[in-house]
Amino acid sequence: MISSKEIKNIATDLGAENCGIVSAERFRDAPEGFHPQDIYRRCKSVIVFLKSMPAEIILCDHPVPYSNVANILYSELDRIGIKLSGILESKGVGAIPIPADTPYEFWDEQRSHGMGILSLRHAGYLAGLGILGRNTLLMNKYLGSRVYIGAVLTDAALESDLISNDFLCPRKCTLCLDSCPVKALNGQTVIQRLCREHSIIKTGRGFEIYNCHRCRQSCPHLKGHK
Ligand code: SF4
Ligand code: SF4
């Protein structure tokens, strides 16, 4: 049977910058319908992997470079997930890649509230890849809050990583909350309607642009630790 270490090496070879693995059992608090086994009944483990955006692109004043790179990173994570799933299948291991961004199956029109089929930021946290900051983003110790997340569900029972507990948001830091122009962050969650209305715009030609990411820009942990 393939080991966690072998899978992490394959993910790294495919371009992942970090990879963690967690048993499906650790998702016991996932909402009904959003547990890994709601997607793939045979799922025993979840492989989570990261790509990061260069900090200078996040700090850029113009929204187009950030939007373009974010879309490419989502595609890149999907590519890694599909490739990794194929390699695992060729070794007799069942694997299902999870979309790195949309499509949302769950959508509450009134609240403009969407939920992916699996919460990737929670999966990253459970797989030991970082903490969930007050900006609601996954923050990796070394890659900071620049990370984008992909995942593959597998029927292999793999060794889990420990949950990360070696750093936290500074106790009194509220920079991300204060930076949000529409007060969409409350330290626990993001009010998606407020955030979406402000942060996603359509150009005259119909391209979607991420017009705000101040909660990422303002974070002193943006670049992570050396
Ligand atoms: S992306 Fe912008 S609008 Fe949305 S929570 Fe962050 S700062 Fe607020
Ligand atoms: S800005 Fe401060 S509180 Fe917000 S996520 Fe970053 S470290 Fe945490």
Side-chain angles (χ1 to χ4, degrees):
M1 180 55 84
I2 194 158
S3 69
S4 291
K5 188 161 186 289
E6 285 171 275
I7 289 176
K8 288 180 184 180
N9 287 341
I10 297 168
T12 304
D13 288 346
L14 290 172
E17 292 171 60
N18 206 336
C19 179
I21 294 181
V22 52
S23 153
E25 286 169 15
R26 226 182 252 174
F27 287 78
R28 61 186 76 86
D29 293 333
E32 199 183 333
F34 297 87
H35 188 281
Q37 288 166 348
D38 292 324
I39 303 163
Y40 183 36
R41 195 175 311 159
R42 294 205 308 274
C43 177
K44 292 204 177 77
S45 309
V46 181
I47 305 159
V48 190
F49 41 89
L50 304 178
K51 293 289 289 180
S52 67
M53 187 182 292
E56 208 63 6
I57 300 172
I58 294 175
L59 296 170
C60 176
D61 294 324
H62 201 285
V64 166
Y66 174 87
S67 301
N68 185 44
V69 175
N71 289 332
I72 291 168
L73 288 175
Y74 288 132
S75 300
E76 182 63 7
L77 288 159
D78 284 340
R79 183 194 65 79
I80 294 170
I82 294 165
K83 274 272 185 199
L84 179 57
S85 299
I87 293 170
L88 291 176
E89 188 166 286
S90 71
K91 295 177 183 294
V93 176
I96 303 286
I98 300 299
D101 191 23
T102 45
Y104 287 138
E105 195 186 25
F106 175 89
W107 178 249
D108 180 336
E109 182 70 32
Q110 217 174 9
R111 292 192 298 143
S112 288
H113 187 96
M115 280 167 73
I117 58 174
L118 182 75
S119 170
L120 290 172
R121 58 197 187 89
H122 285 100
Y125 166 71
L126 293 173
L129 288 173
I131 63 160
L132 296 175
R134 284 187 198 109
N135 56 9
T136 73
L137 301 172
L138 180 72
M139 299 207 295
N140 178 267
K141 185 169 183 183
Y142 303 106
L143 298 171
S145 50
R146 299 177 294 130
V147 294
Y148 287 72
I149 314 163
V152 165
L153 312 184
T154 173
D155 61 4
L158 300 165
E159 189 185 340
S160 292
D161 287 288
L162 295 174
I163 288 177
S164 169
N165 60 4
D166 50 358
F167 74 107
L168 290 169
C169 284
R171 199 163 56 88
K172 292 193 172 162
C173 182
T174 56
L175 288 169
C176 52
L177 277 61
D178 300 339
S179 72
C180 178
V182 291
K183 299 289 169 236
L185 294 168
N186 59 17
Q188 307 290 328
T189 187
V190 56
I191 303 164
Q192 290 190 13
R193 185 181 56 76
L194 294 178
C195 175
R196 281 180 205 285
E197 283 171 1
H198 180 73
S199 67
I200 303 176
I201 56 168
K202 268 202 174 155
T203 67
R205 281 203 66 196
F207 297 113
E208 245 179 31
I209 285 180
Y210 300 115
N211 191 40
C212 175
H213 42 280
R214 289 197 202 168
C215 47
R216 256 192 226 268
Q217 288 173 320
S218 62
C219 181
H221 195 65
L222 173 67
K223 294 183 182 174
H225 299 297
K226 289 273 180 281

